[in-house]
Amino acid sequence: MIDDDADDYYLLSTVIKANYPEHDVMPIYDSSQALSQLEALRTLPAFLLLDLNMPVKNGFEILREMRSLTRYESLPIIIFTSSANPKDLTRCRELGATDYIEKPTSYKELHLVIEKTLRLWLNTSA
């Protein structure tokens, strides 16, 4: 998960730990270091949640960079953002985002989104 908001990570990881303990979430808070932190991993994650609105380097820039690198061509990159702007959705699709999810506003909604995401991208019954 690349997101500068520690609260968003906390909520997401809480839902996953409580309901899907076999899965884990690795946070990357510093958008300017996102690619170097991913490069340091021996194995890529099953999918990546990417926020759009971050300081220094935004999600559009990270998405563009990642899709220009062979290593990330087949990595599912899911935009996980508070933006409901249709222009952001269109731009993300043009840049190669795999999916676009608006951040839920309640724990229950977040649980449903996580369940759907795990089922879709991990081929699990979540």
Side-chain angles (χ1 to χ4, degrees):
M1 175 179 199
I2 302 174
D3 194 323
D4 64 316
D5 190 333
D7 290 338
D8 285 346
Y9 166 73
Y10 175 77
L11 289 172
L12 183 76
S13 64
T14 300
V15 168
I16 289 178
K17 285 176 188 174
N19 300 284
Y20 314 102
E22 68 277 15
H23 300 294
D24 196 18
V25 181
M26 182 188 95
I28 298 176
Y29 298 113
D30 184 348
S31 61
S32 67
Q33 298 296 315
L35 283 179
S36 63
Q37 288 185 30
L38 286 170
E39 287 294 324
L41 299 175
R42 289 181 186 243
T43 305
L44 289 177
F47 61 87
L48 177 71
L49 296 176
L50 176 62
D51 188 26
L52 290 180
N53 302 310
M54 296 181 286
V56 186
K57 191 180 281 190
N58 65 40
F60 296 113
E61 294 168 304
I62 294 170
L63 179 58
R64 183 182 311 109
E65 286 179 33
M66 290 184 73
R67 287 305 190 215
S68 72
L69 300 170
T70 305
R71 182 173 195 218
Y72 306 110
E73 283 178 342
S74 61
L75 176 66
I77 301 175
I78 303 163
I79 305 303
F80 192 64
T81 183
S82 57
S83 174
N85 187 332
K87 290 180 182 180
D88 288 344
L89 170 63
T90 299
R91 185 172 177 202
C92 287
R93 286 196 174 139
E94 290 169 352
L95 291 172
T98 310
D99 202 353
Y100 189 99
I101 300 171
E102 289 180 41
K103 290 180 180 177
T105 56
S106 73
Y107 183 89
K108 183 178 179 179
E109 289 173 354
L110 181 60
H111 181 247
L112 292 173
V113 164
I114 295 304
E115 181 179 27
K116 176 185 169 196
T117 302
L118 292 177
R119 190 179 314 117
L120 186 62
W121 298 110
L122 297 179
N123 296 317
T124 181
S125 59

